[in-house]
Amino acid sequence: PANAEITSHQLLLRGCFIRKVGSGIYAYLPLMWRVLSKINAIVQEEMNSTGALQTLLPQIHPAELWESSGRWQAYTAGEGIMFHLKDRQGRELGLGPTHEEVITSLGGELLRSYKQLPITLYQIQSKFRDEIRPRFGLMRSREFIMKDAYSFHSDENSLKKTYKDMENAYKRIFKRCGLSTVQVQADSGAIGGAASQEFMVTAESGEDFILTSPDGKYAANQEKATSYPKPAKPLPNSNFAEINTPNQTTIDDLCSNHDIDPTQIVKIILFLAHLADGKQQPVLISIRGDQELNEIKLLNSLRIILNQEIFRLSPIDKEEIKEQNLSKWPLGYIGPDLSNSLLAGAKDWESSFVRIADHSATALDNFICGANKEDTHRVCCNWELIGSSPTSRDLRNAKAGDKCIHNPNQSLEVCRGIEVGHIFQLGQKYSKSMQKTFTDENGSLQPFWMGCYGIGISRLAQAAVEQNNDDVGIKWPLSIAPFEVIIVIANNQDLIQKDLGEKLYKDFQKEGLDTLLDDRADRAGVKFKDADLIGIPFRVVIGRESALGNVELFERSTLESKKLTVSEITKVLSSKISSIKKQGVL
């Protein structure tokens, strides 16, 4: 298909598992619905085993719930991902992208005493997110199926215990679904909370970068990963000076014209933080010249520094500066000490910068930086000459080849991954902001401790295809395949073959085998290609030798086939499937 960029999306469309209805909106057709139902059953079993209780929450959320947590503007304004609307009375509503606000509100109404805690509620339902760029089929769609769970606790230790229980349940879920996953440290993002972990399916098509150590002791999403960058090249001993650098506004320009190494430069990046209260705060970031800024780390650091919710960051560029009447700003030559007086004419901004620097910049004893005037840079500058060091944070992207923080003798390696699950320790973020409390043992009102645990059900299904396929089609893991067995009647005009096919179909069903019968009037080759494409784990072929009492058993995952007699096929197949299920190699 022309509109499918990655293998799994192509195969699901070709195999008639899904069909696109609109941008990022898909119909789940009968084969896919069987896959999703089997995934749901596994998830329900494992969630129930932890003591979690299933529920179903509304998909339409009143705006006031999200306003009480402070997230309505962040999710609806600008590039916010919430679909929102007004009803006939003019009341604002949103289609749920997640359910922290709804569940916290319900918890505050229903859970009055510590005696009712801990408790975990979960649901499996559709979520809605207005993705800026829907793509890759079910990987990044605007409507998707998700399992989300929420736990309430009287203290942090109880939360940590449930968090660990969920971690173990997730491991079992993904193993049972036949997925190979990597567990990584992750950023909590807009959900918030003190700690979170993602479960990633490794795949070349993955949108996330995973950094791991060779010894397996460290794994993190790039949004969260930390590391030691390579050492900076020292500047030659010389005195502070200003140098003429006409039309040299980039790191590459400086390095090529002055025999400078990027590790000797402090580069400046300007951002505008759009705050939840509607104000705009300019931010000046200093970072070593060879490093890349991690905007997620910057956003999290600014939330702490400003003690405010920030619903987005935008770069300050020439057009923004022109709009704010700041013509004196020497873009390309700005240094870490750009004067706040230059903000005096700004129309909409706060009157002073928030200054923040990456550790890679503050660690430099001497460096090269802009001189805050056109065509000029400073060499052998240092933080003492500038006046003071800005707030120092980890703001850089960790990357392959960096030294591991737990063992500097090891270097990080990188691969791509698809996020299929995410667990959070929310702490008291929502219970405090929404003022939801319970009565503790001493009769005092306390905010709940909460956890949040999500699995992308529809994304998981496509991730399984991305991890299990070959040149001719899908290789579904047995536990989530639409059917366990497909019987292919090679020639439907041959009454012996047709009768035998229908007999085996009934025998397999009586044995409890989930079976599909292909009795179409197509050529055998067409049926074999279709069977390979839709990826059912076992194929029983009834062909010419059926008159002699023989059939062929083909295993999709190994591509191995063997001849068996009609009298033994049911027993052999049942035994093989039962063995796979017992071993957990699904």
Side-chain angles (χ1 to χ4, degrees), residues 300-312:
N300 290 335
S301 295
L302 288 173
R303 282 176 176 146
I304 295 171
I305 293 169
L306 298 172
N307 193 29
Q308 278 202 61
E309 186 60 41
I310 302 170
F311 69 87
R312 72 184 177 96

Side-chain angles (χ1 to χ4, degrees), residues 289-521:
D290 63 322
Q291 300 301 311
E292 295 179 358
L293 177 68
N294 184 314
E295 290 189 28
I296 299 297
K297 291 182 179 180
L298 172 62
L299 188 64
N300 290 335
S301 295
L302 288 173
R303 282 176 176 146
I304 295 171
I305 293 169
L306 298 172
N307 193 29
Q308 278 202 61
E309 186 60 41
I310 302 170
F311 69 87
R312 72 184 177 96
L313 294 171
S314 61
I316 298 176
D317 54 18
K318 288 182 180 179
E319 291 301 315
E320 186 75 46
I321 288 173
K322 183 179 178 181
E323 186 177 321
Q324 295 293 325
N325 298 323
L326 301 175
S327 57
K328 294 181 180 180
W329 280 32
L331 275 185
Y333 300 95
I334 290 175
D337 54 340
L338 180 66
S339 172
N340 280 324
S341 64
L342 288 176
L343 284 171
K347 292 189 299 183
D348 304 317
W349 300 351
E350 293 293 287
S351 59
S352 62
F353 286 107
V354 168
R355 301 178 189 275
I356 184 170
D358 181 65
H359 297 322
S360 65
T362 54
L364 294 174
D365 294 325
N366 292 288
F367 50 83
I368 297 161
C369 66
N372 296 322
K373 55 186 175 181
E374 293 287 342
D375 301 334
T376 310
H377 280 80
R378 294 173 282 191
V379 296
C380 285
C381 191
N382 57 55
W383 297 107
E384 185 176 351
L385 283 170
I386 283 176
S388 64
S389 295
T391 301
S392 185
R393 293 284 192 276
D394 173 27
L395 301 177
R396 56 180 284 276
N397 268 334
K399 54 189 177 181
D402 287 350
K403 299 302 180 184
C404 299
I405 56 172
H406 74 285
N407 184 352
N409 294 320
Q410 295 207 344
S411 298
L412 289 178
E413 299 170 346
V414 67
C415 64
R416 286 182 176 272
I418 301 165
E419 179 193 344
V420 291
H422 203 156
I423 58 176
F424 304 82
Q425 292 182 32
L426 297 177
Q428 297 176 313
K429 173 182 169 71
Y430 294 93
S431 57
K432 282 186 175 179
S433 64
M434 297 178 70
Q435 299 179 359
K436 301 302 180 183
T437 59
F438 69 97
T439 303
D440 68 11
E441 293 176 335
N442 300 316
S444 301
L445 292 177
Q446 300 292 340
F448 297 103
W449 289 83
M450 293 175 61
C452 172
Y453 321 93
I455 290 178
I457 302 293
S458 47
R459 178 184 281 197
L460 187 157
Q462 185 170 331
V465 176
E466 194 66 28
Q467 202 170 63
N468 297 277
N469 68 79
D470 60 16
D471 292 338
V472 295
I474 303 169
K475 295 181 175 181
W476 285 110
L478 179 67
S479 60
I480 63 173
F483 295 91
E484 295 171 338
V485 187
I486 180 169
I487 298 173
V488 176
I489 301 173
N491 180 4
N492 202 46
Q493 302 303 313
D494 185 320
L495 291 180
I496 294 177
Q497 292 184 31
K498 184 177 180 180
D499 290 345
L500 179 57
E502 292 178 353
K503 177 184 181 302
L504 289 180
Y505 177 67
K506 293 176 181 176
D507 290 345
F508 289 176
Q509 286 189 313
K510 287 179 181 177
E511 192 67 22
L513 304 178
D514 195 7
T515 309
L516 175 65
L517 175 63
D518 187 349
D519 57 356
R520 293 175 296 166

Side-chain angles (χ1 to χ4, degrees), residues 117-219:
L117 304 175
I119 189 171
T120 302
L121 301 172
Y122 78 96
Q123 63 172 346
I124 299 174
Q125 66 154 227
S126 291
K127 295 284 193 291
F128 305 89
R129 295 182 185 175
D130 191 7
E131 295 286 356
I132 295 172
R133 191 186 169 199
R135 56 179 179 160
F136 300 158
L138 307 182
M139 293 297 191
R140 188 162 294 280
S141 56
R142 298 198 293 172
E143 179 181 348
F144 55 95
I145 300 174
M146 182 178 178
K147 186 283 298 178
D148 49 325
Y150 306 90
S151 59
F152 293 83
H153 308 268
S154 58
D155 56 54
E156 187 174 15
N157 287 335
S158 174
L159 166 60
K160 288 181 177 180
K161 181 182 182 303
T162 296
Y163 183 81
K164 186 64 178 179
D165 290 342
M166 287 295 170
E167 177 186 338
N168 292 331
Y170 273 39
K171 290 177 183 177
R172 294 192 300 269
I173 287 168
F174 297 129
K175 181 180 179 182
R176 289 183 62 186
C177 288
L179 293 176
S180 173
T181 58
V182 177
Q183 202 172 325
V184 303
Q185 296 178 26
D187 177 70
S188 296
I191 302 296
S196 75
Q197 295 180 77
E198 288 176 339
F199 293 80
M200 295 281 199
V201 171
T202 55
E204 283 301 312
S205 62
E207 293 185 286
D208 295 296
F209 286 100
I210 305 169
L211 290 148
T212 60
S213 59
D215 61 9
K217 293 183 178 179
Y218 183 82

